[in-house]
Amino acid sequence: MLRIHFTGVDLARVRMAGRPDALWETILSFHRLRDRRDARLFGEWRTEARGRLNGETRTLGMLIPARGYFPDFLTPVEGQYGWDVALDALRGIRPERLRRELVLLAGGSGAGPGAGGGPGAGAGSPVAPRLREFMDGGTKHLPRLLGELRAYHRAAVEPYWTHIQAQIEAERAARGRALLDGGADELLASLPPMLRWRAPVLECDYPVDRDVRLRGRGLLLQPSFFCRRTAVTLHDPELPPVLVYPAASHLASAPAGGEAARTVHVEEQRQRTLGKLVGHTRSVVLRAIGDGATTSELARRAGVSLASASQHACVMREAGLVTTLRHGNAVLHTVTPLGAALLKGGAVAS
């Protein structure tokens, strides 16, 4: 179990990430690619991603074991600002830090995910010679790592980025509502079931027993589409504290087969459904969702009946303009990036 200890200052400094983190999603998706579980959610995505992967991933496989520690330098805090910024930060890693974390990987830290879950690549492992070469080469092997990361990201993450963004936006809306309703206490208490707020400690399901003391630094909550089952944090306690956790998966908008996959057939279906949106009422309903609304709030804001609000939300969800997330006994509708783009262009007005 992971226990994160808060002070009053830390509670005031809890914050939600503003967007998906490009490197966390990429690294965690690499775990999902090799994991056979969650076939309903990731099966179609795995098939498509593997079909696009024509390049080398041996360096990624060496640095990201199926279980156990993986180096903190792979997920710099700059990942929250976008892919290019994240790669620039990774390119600038100090040689002494690179070696220190690779030594930790070679020895097996048992540090838990993110810092992995369970032992890392032990010294007697088949990957040890390649890891030794990487370790002894300082930063000269970074271009190879960056090349593999770029190729993998293009094949496995980038084609689904709009969908990932929509899920994270829905999660942010739900947590933001909890924060407005009851402050940081309510926000932490509203997190998914693998995270339990027992003030002043946040308990998290975790492969190893570990305590993290925030000491007034606050905590960045980073929801992730590819994070599953347990939360993930950094191994080094001196780095800015971040908790990566699974975005809520009980989405009313989930497609029946392969939630992450966005195939050509889905896009064609969306284009057909978009035709249903032409008209003043749905334009009003879409705008009324704003930063998030339950069906009751949506009906009240748009001046339509509850049944009508529900029907319009359903059509827009099928069109990819809205994501719906269960929030307690209600459902919370949020606008996806596609819906926001449509609103900015005024394309739904009649």
Side-chain angles (χ1 to χ4, degrees), residues 33-52:
L33 188 71
R34 296 175 295 177
D35 188 350
R36 294 183 180 181
R37 293 175 293 182
D38 297 319
R40 184 187 69 83
L41 185 59
F42 294 116
E44 191 175 343
W45 166 77
R46 287 187 185 111
T47 300
E48 292 188 352
R50 284 171 182 151
R52 293 193 191 96

Side-chain angles (χ1 to χ4, degrees), residues 62-84:
M62 175 184 68
L63 297 179
I64 312 169
R67 289 186 297 176
Y69 170 83
F70 59 84
D72 290 338
F73 68 73
L74 290 172
T75 52
V77 67
E78 290 84 357
Q80 63 183 302
Y81 303 120
W83 180 249
D84 292 334

Side-chain angles (χ1 to χ4, degrees), residues 164-176:
I164 292 168
Q165 284 181 306
Q167 307 314 308
I168 302 312
E169 282 299 323
E171 176 69 17
R172 276 174 48 81
R175 302 310 144 225

Side-chain angles (χ1 to χ4, degrees), residues 255-275:
E259 286 177 69
R262 283 296 178 267
T263 62
V264 173
H265 297 296
V266 173
E267 293 301 328
E268 289 174 348
Q269 183 182 15
R270 279 188 174 178
Q271 293 302 320
R272 290 195 300 269
T273 311
L274 280 172

Side-chain angles (χ1 to χ4, degrees), residues 41-310:
L41 185 59
F42 294 116
E44 191 175 343
W45 166 77
R46 287 187 185 111
T47 300
E48 292 188 352
R50 284 171 182 151
R52 293 193 191 96
L53 274 173
N54 299 318
E56 175 64 67
T57 59
R58 284 193 302 171
T59 303
L60 288 180
M62 175 184 68
L63 297 179
I64 312 169
R67 289 186 297 176
Y69 170 83
F70 59 84
D72 290 338
F73 68 73
L74 290 172
T75 52
V77 67
E78 290 84 357
Q80 63 183 302
Y81 303 120
W83 180 249
D84 292 334
V85 177
L87 286 194
D88 283 343
L90 188 50
R91 191 179 291 110
I93 185 76
R94 298 188 311 275
E96 58 271 23
R97 179 183 172 188
L98 180 70
R99 181 172 179 80
R100 182 174 67 248
E101 294 186 9
L102 290 176
V103 167
L104 197 59
L105 175 64
S109 70
S125 160
V127 302
R130 284 189 287 118
L131 184 56
R132 173 62 62 185
E133 178 190 357
F134 201 98
M135 199 183 309
D136 293 342
T139 57
K140 79 173 186 179
H141 295 299
L142 277 179
R144 185 174 71 195
L145 170 61
L146 293 172
E148 287 191 19
L149 268 173
R150 281 195 201 93
Y152 175 79
H153 178 82
R154 280 197 297 266
V157 178
E158 191 176 83
Y160 313 98
W161 194 248
T162 298
H163 180 69
I164 292 168
Q165 284 181 306
Q167 307 314 308
I168 302 312
E169 282 299 323
E171 176 69 17
R172 276 174 48 81
R175 302 310 144 225
R177 180 166 291 252
L179 181 65
L180 289 172
D181 287 347
D185 268 310
E186 183 66 22
L187 165 62
L188 293 170
S190 77
L191 292 170
M194 75 286 297
L195 309 173
R196 297 168 294 280
W197 175 237
R198 296 191 170 103
V201 177
L202 181 64
E203 296 180 350
C204 315
D205 292 345
Y206 208 64
V208 295
D209 198 56
R210 184 182 175 196
D211 288 273
V212 172
R213 300 185 185 278
L214 298 177
R215 304 192 309 271
R217 295 173 296 167
L219 180 68
L220 175 66
L221 295 170
Q222 177 68 64
S224 165
F225 179 78
F226 284 107
C227 183
R228 292 288 137 180
R229 295 185 182 81
T230 62
V232 188
T233 191
L234 298 169
H235 172 67
D236 187 344
E238 298 308 313
L239 290 172
V242 58
L243 185 69
V244 182
Y245 71 92
S249 59
H250 300 296
L251 296 165
S253 59
E259 286 177 69
R262 283 296 178 267
T263 62
V264 173
H265 297 296
V266 173
E267 293 301 328
E268 289 174 348
Q269 183 182 15
R270 279 188 174 178
Q271 293 302 320
R272 290 195 300 269
T273 311
L274 280 172
K276 302 177 185 177
L277 289 171
V278 179
H280 176 72
T281 301
R282 285 192 181 125
S283 171
V284 170
V285 170
L286 185 60
R287 291 180 185 279
I289 291 175
D291 292 328
T294 65
T295 305
S296 297
E297 289 168 342
L298 185 56
R300 185 170 63 252
R301 292 177 191 175
V304 297
S305 69
L306 194 63
S308 179
S310 179

